[in-house]
């Protein structure tokens, strides 16, 4: 990331809105319907926006998948602080009002993308563990079908 991107990221993750998103994340995780609503919002946001969003679409979808598995009780092998950070990042991503409001074309997505990439890279180890778990689930399902 360039110096300008780091500056935007620092402003975003140190903003009052990101702190608010962290607080809201716990409430969202406590209620399956709220978790599902956030997941739906993120998916809509991905289809509604074009351009730069496509560059991080796979990362966002994997984070959404992790939240969905957690909310359903299927995958809980992740520290609470990590799943809260993921949810906070997704809240930030879908919110039109943050450090750079989304109604500014292109620039309004820079902070959203920066936060998602920061969350993704910060939790790289947790994400790899989730991917391994997911692969093992598919293997187990295939073995049961034989």
């Amino acid at each position: 990331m360039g110096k300008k991107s780091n500056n935007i990221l620092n402003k975003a993750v140190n903003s009052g809105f990101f702190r608010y998103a962290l607080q809201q994340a716990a409430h969202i995780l406590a209620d399956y319907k709220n978790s599902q609503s956030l997941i739906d919002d993120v998916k809509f946001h991905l289809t509604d926006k074009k351009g730069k969003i496509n560059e991080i679409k796979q990362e966002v979808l994997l984070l959404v998948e992790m939240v969905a598995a957690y909310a359903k009780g299927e995958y809980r092998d992740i520290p609470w602080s990590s799943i809260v950070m993921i949810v906070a990042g997704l809240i930030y991503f879908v919110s039109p009002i943050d450090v750079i409001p989304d109604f500014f074309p292109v620039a309004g997505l820079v902070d959203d993308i920066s936060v998602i990439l920061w969350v993704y890279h910060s939790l790289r180890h947790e994400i790899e563990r989730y991917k391994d778990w997911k692969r093992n689930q598919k293997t187990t399902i295939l073995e049961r079908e034989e």
Side-chain angles (χ1 to χ4, degrees):
M1 270 190 203
K3 189 174 181 176
K4 189 173 183 177
S5 294
N6 282 335
N7 191 25
I8 290 170
L9 175 61
N10 286 332
K11 284 182 180 180
V13 298
N14 293 311
S15 69
F17 184 77
F18 191 75
R19 283 191 301 276
Y20 169 78
L22 284 168
Q23 293 170 346
Q24 290 303 303
H27 297 293
I28 287 172
L29 286 167
D31 183 338
Y32 179 77
K33 287 182 183 178
N34 287 339
S35 297
Q36 191 57 51
S37 179
L38 175 63
I39 289 166
D40 293 342
D41 287 349
V42 171
K43 288 179 179 178
F44 175 77
H45 199 74
L46 284 172
T47 59
D48 189 43
K49 308 287 184 206
K50 302 291 182 231
K52 285 266 185 211
I53 294 291
N54 285 330
E55 294 176 16
I56 63 160
K57 189 172 186 174
Q58 295 309 311
E59 289 86 351
V60 173
L61 289 173
L62 186 59
L63 296 175
V64 164
E65 206 177 282
M66 289 177 76
V67 171
Y70 187 91
K72 291 176 188 172
E74 296 171 351
Y75 183 76
R76 295 290 173 102
D77 191 22
I78 183 170
W80 177 251
S81 59
S82 297
I83 196 70
V84 166
M85 185 187 294
I86 291 170
V87 171
L90 294 174
I91 291 169
Y92 194 95
F93 180 71
V94 298
S95 177
I97 301 171
D98 41 46
V99 171
I100 304 174
D102 291 350
F103 55 79
F104 291 115
V106 182
L109 297 176
V110 171
D111 63 323
D112 298 348
I113 291 169
S114 296
V115 167
I116 289 294
L117 290 176
W118 173 73
V119 167
Y120 194 89
H121 291 291
S122 296
L123 300 176
R124 200 173 26 242
H125 177 71
E126 296 299 334
I127 291 167
E128 288 305 317
R129 284 180 46 201
Y130 172 75
K131 287 179 179 178
D132 289 343
W133 173 83
K134 191 172 135 179
R135 275 190 293 275
N136 287 335
Q137 293 303 306
K138 288 181 180 179
T139 302
T140 305
I141 290 167
L142 289 175
E143 289 171 352
R144 279 189 235 143
E145 291 176 353
E146 291 179 347

